[in-house]
Amino acid sequence: MTAAVPEPKANMGQSVPRYDAVVKVTGRATYASDMPLADPAYAFLVTSAIAKGRVDRFDLDDARGVRGVIDIVTHENAPKLKESKLFSNGGYAGTTIEPLKSADIAHDGQIIAVVIAETYESAREAANRVKISYTATAPSATFDSPGTTTAAAKGQNAQFKEDPKVGDFAKAFDEAEVKLTASYDTPTQHHNPMELFSTSCAWMGDNLVIYEPSQYVYGLKNGVAEQLGIDADKVRVVNPYVGGGFGSRGSMTPRTAIIAGIAKRLNRPVKLVPTRDQGFTITTHRAETRHEIKLGARRDGKLIALRHEGAEVSSRPDAYCVGGTKTTTRLYACPNVDSLVSIVRADRNTPGFMRSPPEVPYLFALESALDELAVKLNMDPVELRRINDTTVEPIGGKPYTSRSLMACFDEAAKAFGWAQRSPAPKSMSDGDWLIGHGCAATCYPTQMGPSAARVRLQRDGRTRVEIAGHEIGTGAYTVIAQTAAERLGVPLEKVAVFIGDSDLPPAPVAGGSNSTASTCSAVMMVCDQIRQRLFKAAMPGDSLTDKAKETVGISPAPSTQAAKSGRPPDLDKAFDALGVSIVEEYGEWKPEGAPPDSFRAMHNGQVRLVGGHTMKDQIAYAFGAEFVEVRVNRFTHEIRCPRLVGAFSAGRIMNPRTARSQLMGGLIWGMSSALLEATEIDERTARYVNDNFADYLVPVNADVPGVEVILLSEQDDHINPAGVKGLGELANVGTNAAICNAIYHATGKRIRKLPVRLENIEV
Ligand code: MOS
């Protein structure tokens, strides 16, 4: 086990404790539904018990008779809302399915009525007494269900423009000395953050305040304004703390504008706290996927042909897809590559982002297939990856800005004791337990988005940083505070950070692991504006002005001596010269290569992330290597995972403590995605079966006795001023493959469908 507070190595910040640690462990952090409202009414959702068809009739008499009921809203009397485009098509919404617009039902658990009452209990009781007559039509549930339609993703989804290809795959595969063709399946999964999907709306005249856990306050503000048909400046979204996101709160869901509309009509604040099971259907999820991988290699292990075909389930109206071939076709050197992503439409709610959306399912396929190829070649799987390692991605021929993949493999292999493995399947055991060791690569694109910030420095060193970033548990407060303290040379405890409020300067969606790179780059830039002003005032015409200019960029922080004295050098002098007691600067930062409309889009809550493979002359990814031990009981087939070891490189590590925590959480989630998590769908009814924490399995401490996170030093000057590659979504990629590779090693049987449960084990 590594220490919880790792010693910083080269190009790493200090492992300071979390900025929000005390308020969180003392229960004083105010989550959205904790926000006090004056005389709120309580909403409870009624959701559909069928997946396709229509509501014929509501019988509301019994429900209306419950004491305290104020109103029951159905499609017959719902507030009129405007449409919003899908997030991935330039809009704000996670689905274009509009509940309460008509009697039509497009998916299981769709919102069909909202009960408003004086108390939560009354609303819930009345909701249970709403009687609904449906006309149900047979729904198409998933892959292979009658009535689904399948089409190439290309051209349907604005974010999936091209199926990556290069060379002549068919010819090369035909000629390959060693070939592999294999299919892989991943299940539906739900994010299930601890904080429920609450929404509270309060109007003050024409101004609306929304308290809702969100990963994108500017997106939600603009999206709800669009749906309500009001000016976005009249809407404010507030959420200083968010109890987990994992992608589930990146796009707007239908519930928000509905609650806002009801609150307006009632002229009273309305609070909605949906139940856990409702969260499975009123937001998004990770869709089930299917893959076929074809690999052709020379006897020496060199890949000469690679084809990745993926299929993903989406809803009827929305062509959502994650399209992970953008990554899997670029990860290893290979001259002949082909790929195809398809979308299968079914009668389901629209899927959406879930932690490492493309890479989790698509690298499961690729990293499993590589292990299978290594077996065919009778080669160590680490060596197979070394042989095919590259500094240039094969599709566009662009160099990686930095790539420490094999360094990660070497470090993790050493810590794991990979050299002691006996490679033959079923050759290691301990009593009744077969032991398996497996590994896989992980990678995640380095992404950045335009971001603004406002920083205020007082004469006594007190500093206030304002930026509409999001604390979804990742450490955003902490790294933003560290950045400002370092850059201004003030003590960390003098820095106050304000995030999670759309009245603050805009920051990007807390998604795609871009937050640290984007917000810290913006904060650095604005701190440098302050330094320049101070130096200019203190030393007019002096060379210090030029010196201040030099600090714009990635140069190290001001002297530690300044930090000790509580103020940058000459702070008093500078403030005297300026004749003020506060210096405040606002600035807008955009990454290199950001589109021309970036700043306008930033204010409008539209995402303009750049990076990954979309950069002009380079490609930027963070990398890692993961090794796991599994133990499979030869009689009961029980599967245990006593050890997870990962080594990661992600540019500058702002805070090794919070970084380790992110990566550890990722490894555990990766294990969970292999062995535990799946949302089961009843294929007859297209409904989710295990929509609760009792039946939707997630790991507990006893499932993860050993997790080791190794942070590698890496310096990358090509990505952003902060030098940061995102790592929030890095570690839970590839773990699923590493586990299946280890299960193969333990049992000699390859499992290509997740999750792996004891009934899937053959010994
Ligand atoms: Mo992450 S799934 O991009 O919030």
Side-chain angles (χ1 to χ4, degrees), residues 113-363:
V114 185
V115 178
I116 313 293
E118 295 293 341
T119 65
Y120 174 81
E121 291 75 14
S122 297
R124 186 168 191 162
E125 175 64 17
N128 286 332
R129 291 174 187 242
V130 170
K131 293 186 190 71
I132 306 140
S133 319
Y134 299 100
T135 296
T137 326
S140 309
T142 180
F143 290 124
D144 304 331
S145 298
T148 54
T149 59
T150 303
K154 183 182 157 179
Q156 292 192 74
N157 178 314
Q159 287 184 349
F160 191 88
K161 295 205 176 79
E162 211 57 61
D163 287 301
K165 297 183 193 328
V166 72
D168 186 343
F169 166 80
K171 183 163 173 284
F173 186 71
D174 200 45
E175 291 167 5
E177 290 169 321
V178 181
K179 291 181 226 242
L180 174 85
T181 300
S183 297
Y184 304 91
D185 288 34
T186 67
T188 313
Q189 295 178 335
H190 276 80
H191 332 67
N192 277 315
M194 283 299 283
E195 186 182 6
L196 293 165
F197 293 96
S198 78
T199 297
S200 298
C201 290
W203 291 83
M204 286 256 278
D206 290 340
N207 292 287
L208 169 66
V209 181
I210 302 168
Y211 301 104
E212 179 177 311
S214 167
Q215 291 173 249
Y216 196 18
V217 290
Y218 266 74
L220 188 59
K221 155 190 154 133
N222 282 279
V224 170
E226 180 184 73
Q227 279 198 281
L228 295 172
I230 62 173
D231 186 343
D233 287 342
K234 301 233 176 277
V235 181
R236 179 178 178 196
V237 179
V238 180
N239 60 9
Y241 305 99
V242 178
F246 317 120
S248 66
R249 317 198 202 270
S251 47
M252 177 177 66
T253 71
R255 73 186 194 274
T256 315
I258 291 172
I259 296 300
I262 293 171
K264 177 87 179 161
R265 182 188 289 172
L266 290 179
N267 196 22
R268 192 170 164 185
V270 175
K271 180 188 275 200
L272 168 74
V273 183
T275 57
R276 175 63 61 190
D277 62 306
Q278 289 173 340
F280 275 70
T281 61
I282 64 167
T283 70
T284 59
H285 57 278
R286 192 196 293 284
E288 58 272 40
T289 68
R290 281 182 174 176
H291 307 261
E292 187 192 71
I293 301 267
K294 285 181 185 283
L295 298 177
R298 297 196 320 226
R299 275 261 160 251
D300 63 6
K302 199 94 191 104
L303 280 173
I304 57 164
L306 182 155
R307 185 170 198 280
H308 191 163
E309 188 172 339
E312 309 176 26
V313 169
S314 190
S315 64
R316 289 288 177 194
D318 296 325
Y320 180 85
C321 74
V322 298
T325 48
K326 60 184 167 232
T327 293
T328 55
T329 58
R330 292 177 168 93
L331 185 50
Y332 296 106
C334 183
N336 303 290
V337 178
D338 191 23
S339 67
L340 177 67
V341 171
S342 302
I343 298 174
V344 175
R345 307 284 188 106
D347 298 305
R348 296 271 299 283
N349 53 330
T350 307
F353 320 105
M354 181 164 153
R355 204 171 186 181
S356 333
E359 285 75 20
V360 163
Y362 280 74
L363 259 79

Side-chain angles (χ1 to χ4, degrees), residues 733-754:
V733 175
T735 330
N736 43 17
I739 298 244
C740 286
N741 299 341
I743 289 174
Y744 171 79
H745 181 232
T747 65
K749 296 283 176 356
R750 183 65 62 174
I751 297 182
R752 302 185 182 89
K753 186 175 159 69
L754 297 180

